[in-house]
Amino acid sequence: MDGGGLRLDMDVLDYGILVLYFVTVLGVGFAARRAIRTSVDFFLSGRSLPAWVTGLAFVSANLGALEIIGMAANGAQYGMMTLHYYWVGAVPAMVFLGIVMMPFYYGSRVRSVPEYLRLRFNRPTHLLNALSFAVAQVLIAGVNLYALALVMQALLGWPLWVAIVVGAAIVLAYITVGGLSGAIYNEVLQFFVILAGLIPITVIGLVKVGGVDGLMDAVRDSKLGEAGLHTWADTGSTANPLGAHWIGIVFGLGFVLSFGYWTTNFAEVQRALSARNMNAARRTPIIAAYPKLVIPVVTVIPGLIALVTVQGLGAETGGLQYNNAIPLLMRDLLPNGVLGVAVTGLIASFMAGMAANVSGFNTVFTYDIWQAYVHRDRSDEYYLRVGRLATVGGVVVGIGTAFIAAGFSNIMNYIQALFSLFNAPLFATFIIGMFWKRMSPTAGFLSLLSGTVASLATYLLYKGGVLAFNSDLEESFWGAGIAFVTVAVVAVVVTPLTRPKRDDELRGLVYGTGAIDLTADGLVGDTAWYRSPILLGGIVLLLSALLYLPVL
């Protein structure tokens, strides 16, 4: 099938499903409002949510444009090597966050990731991270909003500006009214709506191509060839669809980029901080890792189905860009009714991603910028008001940054470039500072700053033709690795020349300065074997390794 127009033949039933969803998410936001009395209720759900809710919200917050459109585009472009983003590039970092890092986050009672840096290092480090995080969140919110608008324009015929305004207005309404609880409970709902929308695409698509065996045969005959069916084959060189060496995959993606994203990205960590106690906070990312294992079935597999059923997919411009893999399948495969569910699921995914960015932005802006550096010692009601205004501001700026994303034919490449710039140096500063108590406050600031500059320089030199990489994604892997190494070198050089903090100032923030009590706030049932973060984490790591076996 050719690309032609992407316009979907939606009927009254399909639009009815979409309207019902919009009404429901707004209702959830207004229902959550009743529980908001303080700023902690608004920004962190009063730290009262059970682990299964925060766990599903944790994975749903990541199911935005990056995941649905970006991973399907990567499935079509790079084949099975896209699985690395899940089984190496997500699950190990999610387990590490739950077992190793959440005790420090949750135990120190910080309200955000930048606040941890202020306690561990100093105020300049705190401000640098708060500002860079705020910029990153509105940029990534713009990606989700632009992708949502693009899909609504292509599928429903809505003008781009109308789609952007409608999507932004609904997200703005339920977060401004319901705070983080409104976002989280909607993310749980959106998780199931997203799956309900994507599963029919996968099932009907597989039936169309003759099942899994038929799909594999078709991929072998496509431009990807046999290489599209393997994950680690030919990674001893860069002669593979991803154009990446296994060192870049393991160190750049599997360690720096993924640990940087999952362990220090406050838009994710915020969901765990809203859990009702330490055990629930630690289990949050580990519970999320289980659905993360199998999400490629509804993202990567449809990408491959699009590759073999849509003629000409992979054009630089127009309706046949890789980013349109999922919309093209929806157009070609789904009957009315099911089509409405799929469109709703797609829209839900963008809203979940944008809501995560906006709720992270409003918290950091209020606590880490406004309260810390502009107006201190005001009433709690004042900061609650600032948080709601920051939500409006974040969405408005997100509307502006939505058009920056328009310059990238593969949204995933843009997102990964942002991650290598903002998350990789932050993770390196974090992990060294968390395990090396001698690292000084000055070293923390200079390391974070120099790592960010090194990553930005790598990106600009690549775009300027000075440095050569096989693909945009390989540049992201190397940019992240260079940022990490830069942070480590600066930390080692600067620390001996500057004064560290005393042990008593670091208690509960750094390994080796006094144990954190993991059971002080325990609830009945927390000691049950199936609630052990270590056991749950070990099982999901084993499963991620076993899943590679059929596609090595």
Side-chain angles (χ1 to χ4, degrees), residues 37-234:
R37 295 179 182 84
T38 68
S39 63
V40 172
D41 292 335
F42 183 78
F43 295 118
L44 291 173
S45 300
R47 298 186 193 264
S48 62
L49 301 179
W52 73 269
V53 170
T54 54
L56 286 179
F58 191 97
V59 72
S60 183
N62 179 247
L63 277 174
L66 164 68
E67 195 76 11
I68 308 302
I69 296 296
M71 288 302 180
N74 277 0
Q77 190 170 357
Y78 305 118
M80 289 294 189
M81 293 193 78
T82 308
L83 294 172
H84 292 311
Y85 286 95
Y86 297 87
W87 301 340
V88 162
V91 171
M94 294 163 84
V95 172
F96 184 84
L97 170 63
I99 292 174
V100 178
M101 294 183 74
M102 277 316 299
F104 292 99
Y105 283 141
Y106 200 87
S108 62
R109 307 301 286 179
V110 295
R111 299 167 299 183
S112 69
V113 169
E115 189 172 21
Y116 175 89
L117 283 181
R118 178 176 63 78
L119 296 177
R120 171 59 185 91
F121 295 116
N122 54 17
R123 289 173 68 82
T125 313
H126 170 246
L127 181 60
L128 175 61
N129 179 224
L131 291 172
S132 66
F133 175 83
V135 170
Q137 291 316 293
V138 293
L139 286 172
I140 297 170
V143 173
N144 279 298
L145 193 54
Y146 173 73
L148 166 63
L150 207 59
V151 167
M152 291 169 80
Q153 179 193 41
L155 303 187
L156 309 181
W158 294 16
L160 199 64
W161 70 269
V162 172
I164 286 177
V165 171
V166 169
I170 293 171
V171 172
L172 176 63
Y174 74 72
I175 297 181
T176 306
V177 172
L180 184 64
S181 293
I184 284 181
Y185 281 112
N186 267 318
E187 282 160 6
V188 173
L189 167 68
Q190 285 157 343
F191 176 76
F192 294 105
V193 173
I194 291 163
L195 290 184
L198 293 177
I199 287 172
I201 296 174
T202 307
V203 173
I204 297 171
L206 282 174
V207 170
K208 181 182 176 66
V209 298
V212 174
D213 290 339
L215 177 62
M216 294 174 76
D217 289 340
V219 170
R220 287 190 185 97
D221 294 334
S222 72
K223 56 187 172 185
L224 275 179
E226 181 69 29
L229 299 175
H230 299 282
T231 52
W232 292 104
D234 300 319

Side-chain angles (χ1 to χ4, degrees), residues 78 81 224 226-228 230-246 249 470 474:
Y78 305 118
M81 293 193 78
L224 275 179
E226 181 69 29
H230 299 282
T231 52
W232 292 104
D234 300 319
T235 55
S237 67
T238 56
N240 55 67
L242 200 57
H245 195 278
W246 69 266
I249 295 170
N470 289 303
E474 195 196 14

Side-chain angles (χ1 to χ4, degrees), residues 400-436:
T401 62
F403 294 97
I404 297 176
F408 292 80
S409 64
N410 185 329
I411 294 172
M412 183 68 183
N413 292 342
Y414 175 50
I415 289 275
Q416 290 298 325
L418 292 177
F419 287 165
S420 69
L421 177 60
F422 292 111
N423 288 17
L426 174 61
F427 168 65
T429 307
F430 244 89
I431 205 70
I432 296 170
M434 194 174 271
F435 286 94
W436 187 29

Side-chain angles (χ1 to χ4, degrees), residues 205-340:
L206 282 174
V207 170
K208 181 182 176 66
V209 298
V212 174
D213 290 339
L215 177 62
M216 294 174 76
D217 289 340
V219 170
R220 287 190 185 97
D221 294 334
S222 72
K223 56 187 172 185
L224 275 179
E226 181 69 29
L229 299 175
H230 299 282
T231 52
W232 292 104
D234 300 319
T235 55
S237 67
T238 56
N240 55 67
L242 200 57
H245 195 278
W246 69 266
I247 295 174
I249 295 170
V250 173
F251 182 65
L253 171 64
F255 181 57
V256 182
L257 276 176
S258 93
F259 276 64
Y261 175 79
W262 291 104
T263 68
T264 62
N265 180 12
F266 181 57
E268 296 290 341
V269 173
Q270 187 178 23
R271 274 92 195 119
L273 289 180
S274 67
R276 61 187 177 185
N277 69 345
M278 174 69 81
N279 185 275
R282 296 181 75 201
R283 281 186 287 130
T284 293
I286 299 171
I287 289 171
Y290 282 85
K292 189 71 177 174
L293 283 176
V294 294
I295 284 173
V297 173
V298 293
T299 54
V300 180
I301 298 301
L304 289 173
I305 293 170
L307 172 71
V308 301
T309 61
V310 180
Q311 292 176 8
L313 186 69
E316 286 294 315
T317 57
L320 288 170
Q321 294 177 66
Y322 285 120
N323 282 333
N324 289 327
I326 290 281
L328 285 164
L329 289 181
M330 289 165 57
R331 181 201 66 180
D332 294 341
L333 301 178
L334 300 183
N336 290 113
V338 179
L339 187 60

